[in-house]
Amino acid sequence: MSAHADSAVRAQESDRSVSYRERLAALNVAPLWDVLKGLVPNEPRPKARPHAWKWAVMRDRLIESGAVVSAEEAERRVLMLMNPGLEGLPNATDTIYAGLQLILPGEIARAHRHSQSALRFVLEGTGGYTSVDGVRTEMLRGDFIVTPAWTWHDHGNDGDGPVVWLDGLDVPLVSFLRAGFREEYEESNQFPRTGESDQVLTRYSDALLPIDSSHAGPTSPIFNYPYARTREVLDRLARYSDVDACHGVNVRYANPLTGGWAIPTIAASMRLIPRGLTTEFFRSVEGTVIVGVEGSPAVEIEGAGRLDIAENDVFIVPGWSRWRMSAGDISDAVMFTYSDRPVYEKLGLYRETRG
Ligand code: 1HN
């Protein structure tokens, strides 16, 4: 073959290999061998980063929002917690949303419903209330309140000071699944009142259930787990049962009818770390949002250093990060936690390591 013919063949070959990918792209096809290791990594690589929002700073900004917009204009007056690893998305972890909501005396956040599940963890104030399908509960600091998917809910404040809580929702997860629906309650601002949450708590607590329990939905029939009860249980367990080396004393908010999580997509729990205890390292695939409730614990997240946690600070432990907690020597520490753990469990994807 002549030198000329030789180089012509080579040019044709390289041209063919470049245009091969272009011809694939035109067919909406791509070679797996370019990306296989990224698609199937050695271990999880969440995009969320460890991050803390300090109450001492956030509270001022939130109170300021009261002058920027009314609850009526905003529908919900919320500052969303945007994880710095998640590219401007309103996501606190890869799959979970968190936001701080303010409601001022006399305001009403009008009724609507959506297919996303929500929790409220109350941080400050008295006189706040929320209603789920017309059943009203007062909101006190430390209460864990459930808004089941597709239930009518509105909030209000009958007190004389600001009321603040942390909202937790499965918004990113539901968006990914393209399962988001919403509806406004057109008739009025509030859904008609049908009952009180104390009646609900009485009906379903203490491992004594109505014999004909018709409620068997995916979400707990209890929708306010009051802090006073939770705290008492933590105290009793700290005194009379073993303290877990990784978790301290940790209780999960359960659906009393099934023993499962209170919300189908979100796991919530409250833990007490006894004074003087430093836990052992723990990691799991779930991405976790944590709130300081009592004491002044320190948290160490491997690769991210040490965080000092004050009351109402919110911080993120991304999935597969090793972390541990110290209560310090002055008092016990109490922390509220929520994560996407039920989703991993239901799909057979949950994994953890201790130590
Ligand atoms: C929502 O409906 C509430 O009802 C709070 O208070 C936060 C964030 C995203 C989507 C819906 C509420 C929300 C939300």
Side-chain angles (χ1 to χ4, degrees):
M1 209 186 281
S2 73
H4 176 75
D6 199 28
S7 80
V9 167
R10 268 205 312 273
Q12 209 178 8
E13 272 171 3
S14 94
D15 186 48
R16 221 185 279 141
S17 81
V18 171
S19 70
Y20 178 58
R21 280 178 166 70
E22 283 168 8
R23 281 181 288 132
L24 290 184
L27 297 170
N28 297 308
V29 169
L32 172 64
W33 58 89
D34 283 353
V35 296
L36 179 60
K37 288 202 168 64
L39 285 182
V40 186
N42 293 336
E43 56 179 24
R45 288 185 212 134
K47 285 191 172 173
R49 293 210 285 263
H51 189 78
W53 291 268
K54 305 297 286 180
W55 177 241
V57 179
M58 294 307 301
R59 185 182 186 281
D60 291 348
R61 292 293 83 76
L62 195 60
I63 296 298
E64 216 179 320
S65 76
V68 171
V69 73
S70 68
E72 177 157 18
E73 286 170 300
E75 187 168 342
R76 298 294 187 264
R77 190 200 288 111
V78 177
L79 295 182
M80 304 185 294
L81 306 187
M82 316 268 286
N83 190 292
L86 293 172
E87 296 152 2
L89 292 170
N91 303 350
T93 73
D94 289 71
T95 63
I96 281 192
Y97 164 102
L100 295 168
Q101 182 156 175
L102 169 70
I103 189 152
L104 293 171
E107 286 189 324
I108 289 170
R110 66 181 170 277
H112 67 197
R113 64 178 176 178
H114 40 71
S115 53
Q116 293 83 359
S117 293
L119 65 84
R120 328 278 165 197
F121 185 71
V122 185
L123 300 178
E124 179 183 311
T126 53
Y129 62 86
T130 184
S131 134
V132 167
D133 283 341
V135 181
R136 182 181 281 203
T137 184
E138 65 176 337
M139 304 177 91
L140 297 174
R141 183 167 188 272
D143 290 357
F144 164 70
I145 298 169
V146 174
T147 309
W150 209 245
T151 54
W152 295 110
H153 54 283
D154 48 78
H155 323 298
N157 182 349
D158 281 343
D160 47 23
V163 171
V164 177
W165 63 82
L166 180 74
D167 288 312
L169 289 95
D170 52 11
V171 165
L173 184 73
V174 173
S175 300
F176 180 76
L177 297 172
R178 308 285 184 249
F181 296 88
R182 78 175 261 134
E183 203 176 340
E184 305 290 325
Y185 187 66
E186 305 285 358
E187 262 87 314
S188 83
N189 274 347
Q190 292 173 297
F191 192 82
R193 190 117 165 226
T194 56
E196 299 302 319
S197 76
D198 310 5
Q199 298 155 0
V200 177
L201 189 62
T202 305
R203 202 174 308 138
Y204 292 106
S205 53
D206 299 317
L208 294 166
L209 301 173
I211 198 145
D212 289 319
S213 229
S214 57
H215 179 108
T219 307
S220 174
I222 297 177
F223 79 104
N224 187 345
Y225 296 73
Y227 186 55
R229 291 173 88 242
T230 309
R231 190 67 182 81
E232 200 185 305
V233 170
L234 286 176
D235 254 345
R236 258 186 279 136
L237 290 174
R239 231 173 300 148
Y240 302 121
S241 73
D242 293 338
V243 175
D244 184 90
C246 291
H247 302 302
V249 178
N250 196 2
V251 291
R252 63 188 184 84
Y253 294 96
N255 176 343
L257 297 181
T258 63
W261 301 101
I263 301 174
T265 46
I266 302 177
S269 77
M270 188 78 90
R271 75 180 75 211
L272 181 148
I273 309 298
R275 179 162 63 98
L277 181 72
T278 297
T279 64
E280 285 172 16
F281 276 109
F282 174 80
R283 71 175 163 177
S284 68
V285 287
E286 72 209 288
T288 306
V289 181
I290 305 172
V291 186
V293 182
E294 287 184 36
S296 39
V299 170
E300 188 185 337
I301 305 173
E302 210 175 55
R306 183 190 137 118
L307 283 172
D308 291 309
I309 304 302
E311 286 182 10
N312 291 358
D313 286 355
V314 181
F315 67 99
I316 304 302
V317 179
W320 219 234
S321 302
R322 277 199 186 79
W323 66 295
R324 65 177 176 179
M325 300 150 269
S326 302
D329 292 327
I330 295 163
S331 61
D332 297 341
V334 178
M335 284 180 270
F336 171 76
T337 294
Y338 71 96
S339 82
D340 50 359
R341 177 170 171 164
V343 181
Y344 296 87
E345 290 179 342
K346 286 187 187 109
L347 300 178
L349 293 169
Y350 183 75
R351 271 207 212 193
E352 61 176 48
T353 67
R354 296 166 68 98

